[in-house]
Amino acid sequence: MNAPVTDRHPAVLDRTAETFVLNLGPQHPATHGVLRVKLTMDGEYIVHAEPVLGYIHRMHEKMAENRTWAQFMPNMGRLDYLAALSYNHGYAMAAERAEGIEVPERAEYIRCITVELNRIASHLLWFGAFVLDLGGFTPLLYAFDDREQILDLLESVTGARLTFCYFRFGGVYNDIDDNFITGARAFIKRLRSRMPMYHDLVTKNIILIKRLKDIGPISQEMCRRYGATGPVLRGSGVSFDVRKHEPYSVYPEFDFDIPVYHECDSMARYMVRMDEMEQSMRIIEQGLDKLPDGPVMAAKAPKILKPAKGDYYAAVEAARGSFGIRVVSDGTNTPYRLKLRSPTFSNLSLFSEACQGMILPDALALMGTLDLVIPEIDR
Amino acid sequence: MRLEAIRQALAALAVTEEVEVVKIIPAPKPAEGEEAAKPTEVREKVSQTMLFTPDYKKKGFHLDIKVLSAELPAAAQVLIDQGFFLEAITGVDWPKERQIEVVYDFSHWAELCRVVIRTRTDRDQPEVPTISHIYSGANWHERETHDFFGVKFSGHPDLSPFLLPDDADYHPLRKDFKA
């Protein structure tokens, strides 16, 4: 058995020591997709890490220039396939802002409810996969069992289980029914009863605590320099959430909190996501209670969009941070330029600096807390 | 207000450009019995400071500034001192004007204030200074912009292909690129 590592803070390395290059990925299970990291190692310690991207780069931004505004919506399900509805939402908001379309209130409520369900599904999958990274297999099976309920619910209204294309410019394409509402309430009841089990089984587990507590520090200053957002930033003590900071849709109508932890370590980022699931459940409950009657599509929404010339920006809080879209319109029926600002692109960019001097297993735990989805980084 | 503070701090960096403005001069009132003359259109060149505060509800950002590319590091320094973080860097190709526009998006944690800095560079030899020594995250965004538009960021530590294959010698987001 190895000797216990007592000093878990990043080591100050002897730069003259002999090093070797270790290739992590692009097919390594811990990198969750096709991410490759070129690691320069000094024994067990990381001297330098260089993420290598582009294995699943599909050039969505060029695709946008070759099709109409509405035809690009299916692409939004293929960026972050674990929380695709947030990306639907961001793109719909950008186009609606450019064209000046008003969305009916019921549609906005449905959008928030489904986006929050999708956020819980994403966090549940992250929870399972992350604990699997650390060597615990069982929680993954429980988490997938719960996530399955959400996928069934969302399938009943959106028609898809993963790559959602549910929002339209001016609303959503399908109204929710009573089955969905009772199903969502039953799911919340179920997950509320399961959360204490997750905390007993995993959060209070001594192995998990030893692997995460005080490991992988990310300071606020580093977050600012790299533009990190989402749970990574909130685990570093900054209360920044686009839903509160830049209120959109009907989020101002809901009473919910932004979980913030000040420890800046991997445990803090773990706790932020676990607490966010409860907050999302609060939003869904309030949304179902307040759900107004009415149409789910704006009556006068144009079929073909031709926004006025100019730049437009829209941002939403996706499951992994602030997702932004900058569109440049030249007045025709296709976007002239469309930029996708993906949160994990910025979050991963700090990995190289943050993991210096760490031992490899700790760096993998740190990478897990960044919650990477590679198709969204490569786009 | 942070917006006012940052507007004042950046105002000195904004460029002044000749903008063509169309003015319509109404015809003088016709004398009795005469037909009314048509209003005349006059195209005038007006010099304008390229600093705008657009309507946030319509546009999604609060401050839009165009600077000379040489002033980018100075502008980034002002923004990081004020606590702004970098959202993204991207380009826009304008083949008719033979220019490439580089757009920087900034935002703030404490207050809702989105700042857009833009600059234009020659399309045939696009080059702007890097801000990766100020915002570390700019490193990747600049590499991506170099991949897609061929913009050279002078002073950048490593502009090798990032999202594109290692042997890529094309810039796919330029308007004349056909797959």
Side-chain angles (χ1 to χ4, degrees), chain A residues 50-55 57 59 61-62 65 97-98 220-221 223-229 233 238-240 242 245-247 309-315 322 324 326 328-330 335-341 344-346 348-349 353 377-379, chain B residues 56-62 64 80 83-95 101 103-105 107-114 116 118 134-138 140-141 143-144 148-149 158 160 162-164 172-178:
Chain A
E50 186 197 347
V52 181
L53 307 181
Y55 287 93
H57 173 58
M59 205 68 211
E61 295 174 14
K62 187 75 175 178
E65 296 175 13
R97 175 170 271 161
Q220 287 188 13
E221 184 264 346
C223 286
R224 177 174 287 129
R225 276 191 292 114
Y226 283 96
T229 49
L233 181 59
V238 180
S239 174
F240 175 82
V242 184
H245 185 70
E246 193 174 352
K309 274 187 189 179
D311 288 40
Y312 306 92
Y313 194 90
S322 159
R326 162 170 293 281
V328 182
S329 173
D330 61 348
Y336 184 78
R337 172 86 181 93
L338 189 144
K339 162 74 183 170
L340 305 163
R341 188 265 184 216
T344 24
F345 184 86
S346 297
L348 176 63
S349 69
E353 188 179 322
I377 300 172
D378 285 358
R379 284 159 292 145
Chain B
Y56 167 76
K57 283 228 161 73
K58 279 186 185 149
K59 290 294 221 174
F61 45 89
H62 299 89
D64 185 345
I80 201 167
F84 281 79
F85 72 93
L86 178 71
E87 287 261 16
I89 300 175
T90 190
V92 184
D93 187 16
W94 301 100
E101 187 176 13
V103 187
Y104 298 73
D105 275 295
S107 183
H108 201 281
W109 293 337
E111 204 175 310
L112 178 55
C113 182
R114 288 191 180 275
V116 181
R118 52 182 90 224
I134 301 165
Y135 281 100
S136 316
W140 280 20
H141 289 288
R143 268 179 87 180
E144 183 195 301
F148 292 171
F149 292 92
D158 174 24
S160 57
F162 189 45
L163 291 173
L164 297 183
L173 278 181
R174 289 202 177 195
K175 287 287 172 187
D176 49 12
F177 174 82
K178 293 277 181 286

Side-chain angles (χ1 to χ4, degrees), chain A residues 284-337:
Chain A
I284 297 164
E285 273 184 331
Q286 292 169 45
L288 293 172
D289 288 343
K290 290 183 180 175
L291 189 67
D293 288 329
V296 293
M297 236 353 242
K300 284 181 183 164
K303 289 275 183 291
I304 294 168
L305 261 63
K306 282 186 181 177
K309 274 187 189 179
D311 288 40
Y312 306 92
Y313 194 90
V316 294
E317 181 73 22
R320 285 157 190 81
S322 159
F323 167 64
I325 285 200
R326 162 170 293 281
V327 289
V328 182
S329 173
D330 61 348
T332 60
N333 62 354
T334 53
Y336 184 78
R337 172 86 181 93

Side-chain angles (χ1 to χ4, degrees), chain B residues 3-171:
Chain B
L3 177 61
E4 190 50 36
I6 199 76
R7 198 183 70 83
Q8 283 175 5
L10 290 174
L13 298 173
V15 287
T16 306
E17 276 188 1
E18 299 260 292
V19 183
E20 202 172 68
V21 182
V22 181
K23 275 191 179 170
I24 297 167
I25 300 170
K29 259 198 170 176
E32 258 180 71
E34 279 179 30
E35 256 186 58
K38 278 183 183 170
T40 41
E41 272 187 21
V42 182
R43 284 174 186 273
E44 257 182 17
K45 291 225 165 173
V46 182
S47 69
Q48 186 178 21
T49 311
M50 302 302 274
L51 183 146
F52 306 101
T53 44
D55 180 5
Y56 167 76
K57 283 228 161 73
K58 279 186 185 149
K59 290 294 221 174
F61 45 89
H62 299 89
L63 191 60
D64 185 345
I65 301 172
K66 187 170 175 184
V67 301
L68 286 176
S69 60
E71 304 283 4
L72 279 171
Q77 191 62 53
V78 168
L79 286 159
I80 201 167
D81 289 344
Q82 290 272 349
F84 281 79
F85 72 93
L86 178 71
E87 287 261 16
I89 300 175
T90 190
V92 184
D93 187 16
W94 301 100
K96 270 190 200 146
E97 290 107 322
R98 310 287 314 153
Q99 283 177 330
I100 285 180
E101 187 176 13
V102 185
V103 187
Y104 298 73
D105 275 295
F106 295 93
S107 183
H108 201 281
W109 293 337
E111 204 175 310
L112 178 55
C113 182
R114 288 191 180 275
V115 178
V116 181
I117 307 273
R118 52 182 90 224
T119 186
R120 293 219 176 187
T121 176
D122 181 25
R123 192 170 184 271
D124 300 316
Q125 275 197 320
E127 187 169 348
V128 297
T130 181
I131 60 163
S132 57
H133 54 288
I134 301 165
Y135 281 100
S136 316
N139 185 322
W140 280 20
H141 289 288
E142 286 176 353
R143 268 179 87 180
E144 183 195 301
T145 311
H146 175 258
D147 268 16
F148 292 171
F149 292 92
V151 179
K152 191 177 170 230
F153 289 88
S154 49
H156 191 284
D158 174 24
L159 280 176
S160 57
F162 189 45
L163 291 173
L164 297 183
D166 285 346
D167 56 351
D169 55 355
Y170 46 82
H171 304 297

